[in-house]
Amino acid sequence: MSEAPFRIDALKVACSSCNLRELCLPVGLTSEQLSALDTMVSTRRSVKRGEALFHAGEPFGALYAVRTGFFKTIVSAADGREQVTGFQMAGELIGLDGIGTDQHTCDAVALEDSQVCMIPYNQLESLSREFTLLQHQFHKIMSREIVRDHGVMLLLGSMRAEERLAAFVLNLTQRLQARGFSASALVLRMTREEIGSYLGLKLETVSRTFSKFQDDGLLEVKQRDIRILDLGALQRLVSSVNC
Amino acid sequence: MSEAPFRIDALKVACSSCNLRELCLPVGLTSEQLSALDTMVSTRRSVKRGEALFHAGEPFGALYAVRTGFFKTIVSAADGREQVTGFQMAGELIGLDGIGTDQHTCDAVALEDSQVCMIPYNQLESLSREFTLLQHQFHKIMSREIVRDHGVMLLLGSMRAEERLAAFVLNLTQRLQARGFSASALVLRMTREEIGSYLGLKLETVSRTFSKFQDDGLLEVKQRDIRILDLGALQRLVSSVNC
DNA sequence: CGTAGTCTTGAACTGCATCAACCAATGTGG
DNA sequence: CCACATTGGTTGATGCAGTTCAAGACTACG
């Protein structure tokens, strides 16, 4: 590929013809409203693996919808410690954290070569004053992010390593399944260290727990290729600790 | 007091004359916009200590702004484990989690006798289509909640017990200070167990860590009365682990 | 083909949980 | 107003889940 990171693609972007529109911001919009969205979401950006879409501290101006690829978001403490706060795949929005202070508060880094659609934020605000449905959908997306975060808090605050990893794998497969991928096999886009950071574990613990799941016949693990062998057992791990 | 829990107070509520308006939803609104808010936020509700403002699973219809008192929000896992996801004080909004699915996803429980202002959600949406500033302020509040949650993830995922508790105390005092209270003394509204749940620790660890802070001269701890003796040391604990 | 990044596995350590006893404060009923 | 119960908090002893340190294996990519 000859693309530079951050290249702004010339080709016309159109929510109205995007196969992700039922997973993304335009859910439920009329075709008239969709074409209004099309004029707003007019630029697409390519981000190479390892490159950042934005960094904490940079001025906030737009949200980004993942079109292809995979991202992580990380927050950093003053002393340099990092925490992965989420992984984003096609149809998911990145950058909501920036609205509150007009500055991004996390880094968003591509885990593989990716494309995002840029959604200029003040245009989104004015368009959502016109379209009730767009406004409501946007609010729902923010609310769901809050609910997701609360779920992660529950995970970090009160689950053991096996439960955390099982919950993680199940969450990934559910989201992949919603995008038409297999429910029983997946390829991890992130390292053990990134999984560990997200789950509040060290990479060795993640690795060991994967190995244990394999020994117990729950998963087949070959590096980043995961196959689910016993879905029920994984689900039981998540929803019932010691009973 | 002869109030029943959930009493809907007859007295007129008015954002325009509320001393919390610079901390709450109405930040930055013109007086004309404020009086429009007044008609929307027309009911106030009293919640007694230990009572829930709402429960997970109940239909979502309104947000609540804390007027007086103190709340916790908790999410529950299928197996009954609970996680405190936040503590809310005067001027803070409760219920944002319900927008995404039209159902509350957590319980909100008063930690002392409290009053909240009810903000009917569809009225908030329509009013924020009229008033750009209100719309933007609302978005900021949601975004800041997301950023706060990410901070808690960092805390839960990568801090040690002492750092967590120091961060917690500092956060509380900052918020209390913004409301005109002392920067160096506070009264905890929650039990050690609730603090522990929020911080991903057991109550004994919270208690022990308070005792250690007292032994080390950082805090004076008398049950729920806390006095900060060495602010700098607390801040150093939070922002630098081992350096 | 070699080097760097990633992953796995073992062995020893440790921070926090668990279990348990006790103490202090507050509330209740006789 | 006092005996008793209840709730919340402290502290000690012990155990263990997950970390840390370390070595080696696998994979990808120039």
Side-chain angles (χ1 to χ4, degrees):
Chain A
M1 301 288 262
S2 62
E3 291 176 350
F6 283 58
R7 169 179 165 181
I8 293 180
D9 297 1
L11 55 100
K12 191 81 190 102
V13 177
C15 293
S16 53
S17 62
C18 178
N19 57 3
L20 290 166
R21 68 178 177 280
E22 287 308 316
L23 284 166
C24 194
L25 191 61
V27 170
L29 297 194
T30 66
S31 57
E32 174 203 10
Q33 293 170 337
L34 267 177
S35 57
L37 252 200
D38 284 348
T39 67
M40 177 177 79
V41 186
S42 57
T43 57
R44 199 178 286 171
R45 213 161 106 174
S46 291
V47 188
K48 281 212 150 338
R49 190 172 107 105
E51 299 281 348
L53 179 57
F54 53 76
H55 288 283
E58 290 176 6
F60 165 78
L63 303 174
Y64 301 91
V66 179
R67 208 184 119 64
T68 63
F70 207 88
F71 285 82
K72 67 172 176 180
T73 46
I74 53 183
V75 295
S76 301
D79 64 340
R81 268 179 301 190
E82 294 187 344
Q83 172 77 22
V84 171
T85 54
F87 297 106
Q88 294 81 24
M89 56 179 75
E92 295 177 337
L93 245 49
I94 306 181
L96 296 172
D97 57 279
I99 300 170
T101 55
D102 284 320
Q103 291 206 338
H104 289 290
T105 62
C106 63
D107 295 12
V109 177
L111 296 181
E112 57 185 15
D113 292 358
S114 304
Q115 287 192 334
V116 295
C117 301
M118 192 172 161
I119 305 169
Y121 179 64
N122 45 26
Q123 290 182 49
L124 175 61
E125 280 203 340
S126 64
L127 208 59
S128 71
R129 267 177 263 130
E130 281 180 56
F131 300 143
T132 308
L133 282 171
L134 177 64
Q135 178 194 34
H136 194 57
Q137 176 61 15
F138 177 52
H139 291 171
K140 280 188 163 188
I141 289 173
M142 291 205 101
S143 173
R144 287 195 193 120
E145 172 66 16
I146 291 171
V147 171
R148 184 192 72 83
D149 292 348
H150 290 174
V152 175
M153 285 187 212
L154 176 66
L155 180 146
L156 290 172
S158 60
M159 289 186 166
R160 294 178 312 102
E162 288 183 29
E163 305 171 299
R164 294 184 198 193
L165 192 62
F168 174 72
V169 170
L170 289 174
N171 175 273
L172 273 187
T173 53
Q174 281 160 17
R175 287 155 67 197
L176 288 167
Q177 199 176 359
R179 284 157 182 78
F181 293 97
S182 165
S184 64
L186 68 158
V187 178
L188 300 174
R189 253 68 240 215
M190 69 293 282
T191 67
R192 302 291 191 258
E193 186 168 22
E194 286 160 341
I195 296 172
S197 173
Y198 183 59
L199 298 179
L201 302 169
K202 292 293 159 184
L203 70 94
E204 295 96 327
T205 305
V206 173
S207 181
R208 271 184 249 272
T209 307
F210 268 135
S211 297
K212 177 162 194 309
F213 283 172
Q214 182 156 246
D215 293 347
D216 295 352
L218 307 194
L219 297 180
E220 184 187 318
V221 182
K222 279 184 188 158
Q223 303 283 123
R224 297 194 180 182
D225 290 323
I226 308 286
R227 178 174 300 278
I228 294 179
L229 302 178
D230 191 343
L231 184 64
L234 283 175
Q235 290 167 336
R236 257 171 277 130
L237 253 181
V238 172
S239 58
S240 69
V241 208
N242 23 3
C243 58
Chain B
M1 301 289 262
S2 62
E3 291 178 349
F6 283 59
R7 167 179 164 179
I8 294 181
D9 297 2
L11 56 98
K12 192 78 191 102
V13 178
C15 293
S16 54
S17 62
C18 178
N19 58 4
L20 290 166
R21 67 179 179 279
E22 287 308 318
L23 284 166
C24 193
L25 191 62
V27 170
L29 297 194
T30 66
S31 57
E32 174 203 9
Q33 293 170 335
L34 267 178
S35 57
L37 251 200
D38 285 347
T39 68
M40 176 177 81
V41 186
S42 56
T43 58
R44 199 178 287 172
R45 212 162 106 174
S46 291
V47 187
K48 278 211 152 339
R49 192 172 106 106
E51 301 281 346
L53 180 58
F54 54 75
H55 288 282
E58 290 177 5
F60 165 78
L63 303 175
Y64 301 92
V66 180
R67 209 185 118 65
T68 61
F70 208 88
F71 285 81
K72 66 171 175 180
T73 47
I74 53 182
V75 294
S76 301
D79 64 340
R81 267 178 303 189
E82 294 186 342
Q83 172 78 22
V84 171
T85 54
F87 297 106
Q88 294 80 26
M89 57 178 73
E92 295 177 337
L93 247 49
I94 306 182
L96 297 171
D97 58 280
I99 300 169
T101 56
D102 284 320
Q103 292 206 338
H104 289 290
T105 63
C106 64
D107 295 12
V109 177
L111 295 182
E112 58 184 15
D113 292 358
S114 303
Q115 286 192 336
V116 296
C117 300
M118 190 171 162
I119 305 168
Y121 180 64
N122 44 28
Q123 291 182 48
L124 175 61
E125 280 202 340
S126 65
L127 208 60
S128 72
R129 267 176 264 130
E130 282 181 55
F131 300 143
T132 309
L133 282 172
L134 177 63
Q135 178 194 35
H136 194 57
Q137 176 62 14
F138 177 51
H139 291 171
K140 280 188 164 187
I141 288 173
M142 292 205 100
S143 173
R144 287 195 193 120
E145 172 65 17
I146 291 171
V147 171
R148 185 193 71 86
D149 292 348
H150 290 174
V152 176
M153 287 187 211
L154 175 66
L155 180 145
L156 290 172
S158 60
M159 289 187 166
R160 295 178 311 99
E162 288 184 30
E163 305 171 301
R164 294 184 198 194
L165 192 63
F168 173 72
V169 170
L170 289 175
N171 176 274
L172 274 187
T173 52
Q174 280 160 17
R175 286 154 68 198
L176 288 168
Q177 198 175 1
R179 284 157 184 79
F181 294 96
S182 165
S184 64
L186 68 158
V187 178
L188 300 175
R189 252 70 237 217
M190 68 295 282
T191 66
R192 302 291 192 258
E193 186 169 21
E194 287 161 341
I195 296 171
S197 173
Y198 183 59
L199 298 179
L201 302 170
K202 292 294 159 185
L203 70 93
E204 295 95 327
T205 305
V206 174
S207 181
R208 272 184 247 271
T209 308
F210 269 135
S211 298
K212 177 161 195 307
F213 284 172
Q214 182 156 244
D215 293 347
D216 295 352
L218 307 195
L219 297 180
E220 183 185 319
V221 182
K222 279 185 189 157
Q223 304 283 121
R224 298 194 178 182
D225 290 323
I226 308 288
R227 177 175 300 279
I228 295 179
L229 302 178
D230 190 342
L231 184 65
L234 282 174
Q235 290 168 336
R236 259 172 275 128
L237 253 181
V238 171
S239 59
S240 70
V241 208
N242 24 3
C243 55

